[in-house]
Amino acid sequence: MAFLGVALQLSTWVTGPSQMMAEVAKDGLLPAKWHFYRHDAIGVAQNVVITQAVLVSLFALLYALPNINSVFLMLVNTAAFIYCTVYGIIGLAFIRVRYLLPNQERPFRVGKTGNGGAWAVTGLLMFGILMIALTTLISTDLLSAVFMLLITLLLFATPLIIEHFKRPAWLIDAQADLQNGGN
């Protein structure tokens, strides 16, 4: 049952982001040689799905370890820790946008005037995230905590590294390939 639970959870992670990754690659934000912008006749970005399948298979190999319950708990806790990181970044971005674009028209506003409401909501969000992250780390053994932190750091740093090495040629090459018949 644990295997089925993780397999179903990870299957949504494999198929869900393929369209988003294809659009990001079309915009030249990923190396064109990866061909993530290409898709088949039914709209599946095959290179993205294959890459994700390889990564998911590597995670699935963890189930070969003797204690399947601890592996399942470690993977679930890692997912929770990654979500905490993402929501923390969203909270920081919320405050940053309030100061960078104070007069931007928005469909709704937190607080009627000023940024006090935004700070209060973001503060509560950050407090909740910190409590979830700390209790998750405290409740796991050292090896699981290190694994969770390493995976989170890897997933946080990878886009930053790609952004650092981004080249204008990626967009030019992707657009040329798409115009020449690349799906």
Side-chain angles (χ1 to χ4, degrees), residues 1 16 44 50 58 60-61 82-84 91 108 111-112 115 118 124-125 128 154 158-159 165 176 182:
M1 294 306 287
V44 176
I50 290 169
L58 291 174
L61 287 175
I82 291 168
Y83 286 129
C84 286
F108 65 90
K112 293 186 181 198
N115 291 325
L124 289 172
L125 173 70
L154 177 70
T158 300
F165 289 106

Side-chain angles (χ1 to χ4, degrees), residues 91 93-104 106 108-124:
F94 173 57
I95 292 295
R96 185 164 189 249
V97 166
R98 290 293 290 261
Y99 284 98
L100 288 178
L101 303 168
N103 299 321
Q104 178 73 31
R106 297 173 171 86
F108 65 90
R109 179 176 170 80
V110 176
K112 293 186 181 198
T113 60
N115 291 325
W119 277 104
V121 167
T122 303
L124 289 172

Side-chain angles (χ1 to χ4, degrees), residues 126-149:
M126 293 300 187
F127 178 75
I129 289 169
L130 182 64
M131 291 298 104
I132 291 169
L134 287 177
T135 55
T136 301
L137 283 174
I138 291 169
S139 66
T140 61
D141 59 271
L142 182 62
L143 181 63
S144 294
V146 169
F147 178 80
M148 288 169 28
L149 290 172

Side-chain angles (χ1 to χ4, degrees), residues 18-46:
S18 67
Q19 290 300 318
M20 182 267 314
M21 291 298 290
E23 291 301 317
V24 166
K26 283 180 190 175
D27 290 341
L29 299 174
L30 293 171
K33 65 183 175 183
W34 293 356
H35 300 292
F36 279 2
Y37 51 83
R38 290 184 179 175
H39 55 83
D40 63 13
I42 59 172
V44 176
Q46 291 179 344

